[in-house]
Amino acid sequence: MPNKLIDIKNISKSFDDNLVLDDLNLYIRENEFLTLLGPSGCGKTTLLRILGGFEKPDQGRILFQGKDITDLAPNKRQLNTVFQKYALFTHMTIAENIAFGLKIKKKSKSYIQDKIRYALKLVNLDGFENRYPDSLSGGQQQRIAIARAIVNEPKVLLLDEPLGALDLKLRQDMQYELIRLKNELGITFIYVTHDQEEALTMSDTIVVMNQGYIQQIGTPEDIYNEPQNAFVADFIGESNILPAIMVQDKLVQILGTNFPCVDTGFGKNEPVDAVIRPEDIDLVKPEDGIMEGVVTHLIFKGVHYEMEVTAHNFEWLVHSTDMFPVGTKVGIKVDPFDIQIMKKPESEDEEAAAADE
Amino acid sequence: MNKRKLLAGPYLFWSVSFIIIPLFMVIYYGLTNDNGDFTLKNLAAMATPENLKALGLSLLLSVISTTVCLLLAYPLAMILTNMKVGKSSFIVLMFILPMWVNFLLRTLAWQNLLENNGVINTLLRFLNLPTIDIINTPYAIVLGMVYDFLPFMVLPIYNVLSKIDQNVISAARDLGANSFQTFLKIIFPLSLPGVISGITMVFVPSLTTFVISDLLGGSKVLLIGNVIDQTFTQGSDWHTGSGLSLVLTIFIVASMILVAKYDKEGKGAAF
Ligand SMILES: Nc1ncnc2c1ncn2[C@@H]1O[C@H](COP(=O)(O)OP(=O)(O)OP(=O)(O)O)[C@@H](O)[C@H]1O
Ligand SMILES: [Mg+2]
């Protein structure tokens, strides 16, 4: 396994009285595609700004290849940033924007010309050399920002929601291009997004953040299949989060009905949260299910149908390729390993903090 | 639609009666003689040696005071921009405050301060220090110009600087520029519109002032503003006065066009 490239140790940061990052620990391996995922305001940009050197942490250290870079100026760091709001130089042409970093490094004219052409081709904007940023659409500006960072071939690229302004088709193309680029150049990516689908498709590792705490670190599969708490479950994909009681090992009582599950090690009759993904619920004939309900909503979503089934006063969200019309009586069935049991937090703050331990 | 046009009425009335009509009067007087016949003689009056000297001195002093204002204002505006909001608005207020005092009074105050028996020299004598003898010299005039017009340089520059996106500066640093390179290649070019409007707002009134030179230059230093003023008031020669004013106006308009053109061409390429 490649070694740690960046080691983030006990980073805390507050703005005035607002604690944005609290004792955060995280490391990034060489060549990794690591995604910071979390709701707006959870501190993603702040963490990137600390890595880029634009913000000093109140506490903690940043190590880069084992060396402490916490106090190093941004221009001395071997990483480049694609800023959330593009931050293009409006008084320069697109070509001059892209050439900026290379000119500072005193690269030759022909090298710079080649790089500009290569980068513009990469982001699908050939022929834009002499335009000014103001004359570009938001998506085009965003791609120029990517081009401007990439030509410098940094060891690490920090990307702050770099595809946020693009439409679906272009975003998928760019996702693909970014991954190809990463593999070609061997750059380590630290990627910020609040789009969970993007995080799941692109990353090697996902870091789910909330309120300045890390909620869970893992591969996309881990995060999706085994969320460690209700926040992660709710944030990644859609899910049914149900109040439940752990009757005994491998048996959980959800809304008064016992469901077999695979989790062990909880206290007897301990209150818990049970998470069930909508696509893991099987709708069967009423007499074949564990619980009985009525379909109350039906929407066609393309690949599947989305249904709401009311059972025991709870609206279950169900995804299925089989269609059941509104009003149909159905049985709800869930395989034991599709039920994810999580400890119940007592308050929201505690919820954020608990996951950090 | 028509109602909306009516709203422009007061402004239209104002500009016709106090800008357009006077302007045409100046043009009329400037291009005619006492008999009302067309002549270029009034314009040519600028070419006399005394008048050229006054114009040259005006140009020199206003260029100097504009430069001094720029050199003082730019760093100040930068400091203000980097301050926390509460603090900076306090200091901006400190700068605007003197502007609320009448311009004549402020200049008169400097006269009192600088006079041979004025406040400063009395104090210096009291401390047994050599006195400064700059009243009625071009130095005093430059001092007055800088003092009176400095806020007009600070404010537009502060305005553009405070609007520069901090992320843009971060981006330059991120791409390897040190703080000096960032200033040279990013901050300064982006602030040029403010610099240019500051230059305009200091240069034009400096070039045309006659009050500052009157009060701080005595009758010893004659600027083009004083020449025009005296032609109107002492000589009662409206024709020559208007002719000189026209030449000066053309001069100013031409230099502003030049500056504006440079501003456009300078976009990016020059830096
Ligand atoms: N310079 C600053 N001064 C004061 N507060 C700040 C500053 N920068 C960020 N914050 C606060 O820190 C918190 C985290 O901000 P941050 O920009 O890191 O969020 P984010 O996770 O990037 O959100 P988004 O997804 O909306 O971009 C927010 O509450 C924000 O108001
Ligand atoms: Mg952000």
Side-chain angles (χ1 to χ4, degrees), chain B residues 57 61 64-65 110 114 133-147 212 216-217 221:
Chain B
L57 188 62
L61 295 192
I64 291 175
S65 62
W110 270 111
L114 292 177
D133 206 13
I134 64 166
I135 190 78
N136 300 339
T137 67
Y139 298 107
I141 297 177
V142 169
L143 182 77
M145 286 175 174
V146 170
Y147 179 78
I212 297 177
L216 300 178
V221 188

mmCIF file of all heavy atoms in Angstrom, chain B residues 57 61 64-65 110 114 133-147 212 216-217 221:
data_model
loop_
_atom_site.group_PDB
_atom_site.id
_atom_site.type_symbol
_atom_site.label_atom_id
_atom_site.label_comp_id
_atom_site.label_asym_id
_atom_site.label_seq_id
_atom_site.Cartn_x
_atom_site.Cartn_y
_atom_site.Cartn_z
ATOM 1 N N LEU B 57 3.262 75.639 -15.778
ATOM 2 C CA LEU B 57 3.401 75.472 -14.329
ATOM 3 C C LEU B 57 2.204 74.688 -13.774
ATOM 4 O O LEU B 57 2.366 73.799 -12.926
ATOM 5 C CB LEU B 57 3.510 76.841 -13.658
ATOM 6 C CG LEU B 57 3.847 76.799 -12.173
ATOM 7 C CD1 LEU B 57 5.212 76.164 -11.944
ATOM 8 C CD2 LEU B 57 3.784 78.197 -11.556
ATOM 9 N N LEU B 61 2.609 71.273 -11.739
ATOM 10 C CA LEU B 61 2.155 71.115 -10.357
ATOM 11 C C LEU B 61 1.053 70.060 -10.241
ATOM 12 O O LEU B 61 1.021 69.290 -9.278
ATOM 13 C CB LEU B 61 1.655 72.459 -9.803
ATOM 14 C CG LEU B 61 2.716 73.553 -9.659
ATOM 15 C CD1 LEU B 61 2.168 74.703 -8.831
ATOM 16 C CD2 LEU B 61 4.002 73.021 -9.036
ATOM 17 N N ILE B 64 2.630 66.678 -10.508
ATOM 18 C CA ILE B 64 3.323 66.337 -9.254
ATOM 19 C C ILE B 64 2.314 65.973 -8.168
ATOM 20 O O ILE B 64 2.435 64.933 -7.506
ATOM 21 C CB ILE B 64 4.205 67.513 -8.778
ATOM 22 C CG1 ILE B 64 5.375 67.693 -9.743
ATOM 23 C CG2 ILE B 64 4.721 67.255 -7.365
ATOM 24 C CD1 ILE B 64 6.237 68.897 -9.428
ATOM 25 N N SER B 65 1.286 66.808 -8.007
ATOM 26 C CA SER B 65 0.364 66.521 -6.903
ATOM 27 C C SER B 65 -0.424 65.239 -7.168
ATOM 28 O O SER B 65 -0.713 64.484 -6.233
ATOM 29 C CB SER B 65 -0.570 67.699 -6.642
ATOM 30 O OG SER B 65 -1.362 67.948 -7.770
ATOM 31 N N TRP B 110 -4.674 76.010 5.952
ATOM 32 C CA TRP B 110 -3.278 75.766 5.597
ATOM 33 C C TRP B 110 -2.508 77.081 5.487
ATOM 34 O O TRP B 110 -1.351 77.167 5.880
ATOM 35 C CB TRP B 110 -3.169 74.993 4.272
ATOM 36 C CG TRP B 110 -3.151 73.519 4.487
ATOM 37 C CD1 TRP B 110 -4.119 72.632 4.145
ATOM 38 C CD2 TRP B 110 -2.120 72.773 5.123
ATOM 39 N NE1 TRP B 110 -3.771 71.374 4.525
ATOM 40 C CE2 TRP B 110 -2.539 71.422 5.133
ATOM 41 C CE3 TRP B 110 -0.892 73.095 5.712
ATOM 42 C CZ2 TRP B 110 -1.777 70.399 5.676
ATOM 43 C CZ3 TRP B 110 -0.122 72.072 6.259
ATOM 44 C CH2 TRP B 110 -0.573 70.747 6.241
ATOM 45 N N LEU B 114 0.864 77.751 7.516
ATOM 46 C CA LEU B 114 2.149 77.861 6.828
ATOM 47 C C LEU B 114 2.749 79.262 6.869
ATOM 48 O O LEU B 114 3.942 79.430 6.649
ATOM 49 C CB LEU B 114 1.992 77.437 5.358
ATOM 50 C CG LEU B 114 1.705 75.967 5.109
ATOM 51 C CD1 LEU B 114 1.506 75.714 3.620
ATOM 52 C CD2 LEU B 114 2.839 75.096 5.640
ATOM 53 N N ASP B 133 9.829 77.947 5.096
ATOM 54 C CA ASP B 133 9.443 79.158 4.396
ATOM 55 C C ASP B 133 8.830 78.787 3.061
ATOM 56 O O ASP B 133 9.386 79.068 2.012
ATOM 57 C CB ASP B 133 10.722 79.986 4.176
ATOM 58 C CG ASP B 133 10.378 81.449 4.067
ATOM 59 O OD1 ASP B 133 9.228 81.804 4.399
ATOM 60 O OD2 ASP B 133 11.246 82.223 3.632
ATOM 61 N N ILE B 134 7.683 78.112 3.087
ATOM 62 C CA ILE B 134 7.168 77.652 1.796
ATOM 63 C C ILE B 134 5.891 78.355 1.373
ATOM 64 O O ILE B 134 5.406 78.143 0.267
ATOM 65 C CB ILE B 134 6.940 76.123 1.784
ATOM 66 C CG1 ILE B 134 5.871 75.733 2.783
ATOM 67 C CG2 ILE B 134 8.225 75.359 2.007
ATOM 68 C CD1 ILE B 134 5.396 74.305 2.562
ATOM 69 N N ILE B 135 5.314 79.189 2.240
ATOM 70 C CA ILE B 135 4.107 79.892 1.809
ATOM 71 C C ILE B 135 4.444 80.779 0.612
ATOM 72 O O ILE B 135 5.565 81.286 0.516
ATOM 73 C CB ILE B 135 3.518 80.731 2.973
ATOM 74 C CG1 ILE B 135 2.133 81.279 2.616
ATOM 75 C CG2 ILE B 135 4.437 81.885 3.355
ATOM 76 C CD1 ILE B 135 1.028 80.298 2.723
ATOM 77 N N ASN B 136 3.502 80.892 -0.300
ATOM 78 C CA ASN B 136 3.690 81.641 -1.541
ATOM 79 C C ASN B 136 4.729 81.024 -2.470
ATOM 80 O O ASN B 136 5.361 81.724 -3.255
ATOM 81 C CB ASN B 136 4.069 83.110 -1.267
ATOM 82 C CG ASN B 136 2.979 83.794 -0.472
ATOM 83 O OD1 ASN B 136 1.837 83.318 -0.467
ATOM 84 N ND2 ASN B 136 3.327 84.876 0.199
ATOM 85 N N THR B 137 4.954 79.740 -2.346
ATOM 86 C CA THR B 137 5.806 79.037 -3.313
ATOM 87 C C THR B 137 4.991 77.903 -3.926
ATOM 88 O O THR B 137 3.948 77.521 -3.390
ATOM 89 C CB THR B 137 7.047 78.416 -2.642
ATOM 90 O OG1 THR B 137 6.582 77.369 -1.789
ATOM 91 C CG2 THR B 137 7.849 79.432 -1.867
ATOM 92 N N PRO B 138 5.484 77.341 -5.043
ATOM 93 C CA PRO B 138 4.796 76.188 -5.640
ATOM 94 C C PRO B 138 4.672 75.021 -4.660
ATOM 95 O O PRO B 138 3.712 74.259 -4.721
ATOM 96 C CB PRO B 138 5.687 75.820 -6.818
ATOM 97 C CG PRO B 138 6.367 77.079 -7.187
ATOM 98 C CD PRO B 138 6.581 77.822 -5.903
ATOM 99 N N TYR B 139 5.625 74.899 -3.711
ATOM 100 C CA TYR B 139 5.556 73.791 -2.748
ATOM 101 C C TYR B 139 4.264 73.849 -1.947
ATOM 102 O O TYR B 139 3.592 72.836 -1.733
ATOM 103 C CB TYR B 139 6.754 73.830 -1.792
ATOM 104 C CG TYR B 139 8.077 73.667 -2.489
ATOM 105 C CD1 TYR B 139 8.937 74.752 -2.652
ATOM 106 C CD2 TYR B 139 8.455 72.428 -3.016
ATOM 107 C CE1 TYR B 139 10.136 74.610 -3.304
ATOM 108 C CE2 TYR B 139 9.663 72.279 -3.676
ATOM 109 C CZ TYR B 139 10.502 73.374 -3.828
ATOM 110 O OH TYR B 139 11.675 73.224 -4.487
ATOM 111 N N ALA B 140 3.948 75.059 -1.494
ATOM 112 C CA ALA B 140 2.732 75.220 -0.697
ATOM 113 C C ALA B 140 1.505 74.853 -1.526
ATOM 114 O O ALA B 140 0.553 74.242 -1.022
ATOM 115 C CB ALA B 140 2.618 76.654 -0.192
ATOM 116 N N ILE B 141 1.547 75.210 -2.812
ATOM 117 C CA ILE B 141 0.402 74.903 -3.673
ATOM 118 C C ILE B 141 0.240 73.393 -3.833
ATOM 119 O O ILE B 141 -0.864 72.852 -3.714
ATOM 120 C CB ILE B 141 0.573 75.583 -5.050
ATOM 121 C CG1 ILE B 141 0.594 77.101 -4.856
ATOM 122 C CG2 ILE B 141 -0.549 75.170 -5.984
ATOM 123 C CD1 ILE B 141 0.820 77.871 -6.123
ATOM 124 N N VAL B 142 1.360 72.720 -4.065
ATOM 125 C CA VAL B 142 1.296 71.260 -4.190
ATOM 126 C C VAL B 142 0.761 70.656 -2.894
ATOM 127 O O VAL B 142 -0.108 69.776 -2.907
ATOM 128 C CB VAL B 142 2.675 70.669 -4.537
ATOM 129 C CG1 VAL B 142 2.650 69.152 -4.397
ATOM 130 C CG2 VAL B 142 3.074 71.059 -5.951
ATOM 131 N N LEU B 143 1.268 71.163 -1.775
ATOM 132 C CA LEU B 143 0.794 70.675 -0.480
ATOM 133 C C LEU B 143 -0.718 70.832 -0.373
ATOM 134 O O LEU B 143 -1.438 69.897 0.013
ATOM 135 C CB LEU B 143 1.490 71.453 0.639
ATOM 136 C CG LEU B 143 1.130 71.007 2.051
ATOM 137 C CD1 LEU B 143 1.855 69.726 2.391
ATOM 138 C CD2 LEU B 143 1.462 72.097 3.061
ATOM 139 N N GLY B 144 -1.198 72.028 -0.744
ATOM 140 C CA GLY B 144 -2.634 72.279 -0.683
ATOM 141 C C GLY B 144 -3.413 71.351 -1.593
ATOM 142 O O GLY B 144 -4.444 70.797 -1.210
ATOM 143 N N MET B 145 -2.911 71.173 -2.806
ATOM 144 C CA MET B 145 -3.588 70.284 -3.755
ATOM 145 C C MET B 145 -3.660 68.871 -3.197
ATOM 146 O O MET B 145 -4.714 68.223 -3.216
ATOM 147 C CB MET B 145 -2.834 70.251 -5.089
ATOM 148 C CG MET B 145 -2.985 71.499 -5.939
ATOM 149 S SD MET B 145 -1.922 71.346 -7.391
ATOM 150 C CE MET B 145 -2.408 72.815 -8.304
ATOM 151 N N VAL B 146 -2.530 68.383 -2.714
ATOM 152 C CA VAL B 146 -2.502 67.012 -2.193
ATOM 153 C C VAL B 146 -3.475 66.882 -1.035
ATOM 154 O O VAL B 146 -4.279 65.952 -0.968
ATOM 155 C CB VAL B 146 -1.075 66.618 -1.759
ATOM 156 C CG1 VAL B 146 -1.101 65.308 -0.998
ATOM 157 C CG2 VAL B 146 -0.163 66.523 -2.964
ATOM 158 N N TYR B 147 -3.439 67.856 -0.125
ATOM 159 C CA TYR B 147 -4.316 67.774 1.031
ATOM 160 C C TYR B 147 -5.781 67.791 0.617
ATOM 161 O O TYR B 147 -6.589 66.996 1.094
ATOM 162 C CB TYR B 147 -4.023 68.922 2.001
ATOM 163 C CG TYR B 147 -4.923 68.889 3.197
ATOM 164 C CD1 TYR B 147 -4.679 67.992 4.237
ATOM 165 C CD2 TYR B 147 -6.035 69.717 3.288
ATOM 166 C CE1 TYR B 147 -5.516 67.927 5.320
ATOM 167 C CE2 TYR B 147 -6.883 69.660 4.375
ATOM 168 C CZ TYR B 147 -6.616 68.762 5.397
ATOM 169 O OH TYR B 147 -7.444 68.700 6.473
ATOM 170 N N ILE B 212 -6.597 77.520 -4.607
ATOM 171 C CA ILE B 212 -5.431 77.049 -3.856
ATOM 172 C C ILE B 212 -4.227 77.926 -4.155
ATOM 173 O O ILE B 212 -3.502 78.348 -3.254
ATOM 174 C CB ILE B 212 -5.135 75.572 -4.185
ATOM 175 C CG1 ILE B 212 -6.316 74.697 -3.743
ATOM 176 C CG2 ILE B 212 -3.857 75.115 -3.505
ATOM 177 C CD1 ILE B 212 -6.161 73.240 -4.094
ATOM 178 N N LEU B 216 -2.484 80.007 -1.232
ATOM 179 C CA LEU B 216 -1.189 79.495 -0.770
ATOM 180 C C LEU B 216 -0.027 79.983 -1.636
ATOM 181 O O LEU B 216 1.122 79.839 -1.253
ATOM 182 C CB LEU B 216 -1.207 77.962 -0.740
ATOM 183 C CG LEU B 216 -2.273 77.350 0.172
ATOM 184 C CD1 LEU B 216 -2.241 75.839 0.104
ATOM 185 C CD2 LEU B 216 -2.092 77.825 1.606
ATOM 186 N N GLY B 217 -0.354 80.538 -2.810
ATOM 187 C CA GLY B 217 0.711 81.014 -3.681
ATOM 188 C C GLY B 217 0.826 82.520 -3.668
ATOM 189 O O GLY B 217 1.674 83.095 -4.341
ATOM 190 N N VAL B 221 2.728 83.194 -7.486
ATOM 191 C CA VAL B 221 2.682 82.047 -8.384
ATOM 192 C C VAL B 221 1.380 82.084 -9.164
ATOM 193 O O VAL B 221 0.305 82.063 -8.579
ATOM 194 C CB VAL B 221 2.780 80.727 -7.604
ATOM 195 C CG1 VAL B 221 2.928 79.562 -8.572
ATOM 196 C CG2 VAL B 221 3.941 80.774 -6.637
#
